[in-house]
Amino acid sequence: MLENKKVLDPSLLGVFIEDNSVYCGLHLAEIQLPERCVFVGILRDTQVISATDNPTIFAGDYVLAIATHPMMVPALKVTLKKIHSVYYSLNYCLLEARPADRQSVNSDDSDLTTNLNSTYY
């Protein structure tokens, strides 16, 4: 008799959203979850925001989800812990500022014009 019934063994998972998470700035509904997994909501500070409100995800949030089968927990963890491959922040850029290509071309063009004028006059 027990063999015919589906047995649910739900596992609640809370994943901390890092600064370089691929989900920062996205709405909860934009994330594609693995099969047999659903969102519960977001834990922000001490407040739980329901998934039905489709909240925006910010760094420092905990995304709460349930895997209805224990075999899906690892897939759910991998999905929710995705980060950018290099350090990523919307607040500042770690790359060194460099002159635009157009600026360097214009300076070369002006030297070329000066040299051409002096050659032909």
Side-chain angles (χ1 to χ4, degrees):
M1 184 172 180
L2 289 176
E3 293 175 358
N4 294 335
K5 291 186 177 183
K6 281 191 171 182
V7 178
L8 288 179
D9 189 12
S11 299
L12 177 63
L13 181 69
V15 174
F16 182 74
I17 300 299
E18 301 285 341
D19 291 336
N20 58 344
S21 170
V22 298
Y23 302 120
C24 285
L26 295 180
H27 291 280
L28 205 56
E30 295 178 62
I31 301 174
Q32 181 71 34
L33 289 181
E35 291 180 36
R36 303 176 91 175
C37 298
V38 294
F39 283 116
V40 174
I42 289 178
L43 176 63
R44 183 173 295 145
D45 298 322
T46 58
Q47 180 184 10
V48 176
I49 304 168
S50 174
T52 57
D53 296 335
N54 195 22
T56 302
I57 302 166
F58 296 109
D61 288 346
Y62 281 90
V63 174
L64 307 174
I66 292 178
T68 60
H69 192 279
M71 288 184 62
M72 297 310 295
V73 172
L76 182 58
K77 282 183 184 178
V78 168
T79 299
L80 295 178
K81 291 186 176 189
K82 287 183 183 177
I83 58 172
H84 292 281
S85 57
V86 293
Y87 183 78
Y88 177 81
S89 173
L90 296 176
N91 298 329
Y92 56 93
C93 180
L94 298 175
L95 299 176
E96 187 178 319
R98 295 186 179 151
D101 290 337
R102 184 176 180 145
Q103 290 174 342
S104 60
V105 169
N106 287 343
S107 64
D108 290 344
D109 288 345
S110 64
D111 291 341
L112 182 61
T113 305
T114 305
N115 290 339
L116 287 175
N117 288 340
S118 63
T119 304
Y120 291 112
Y121 286 105

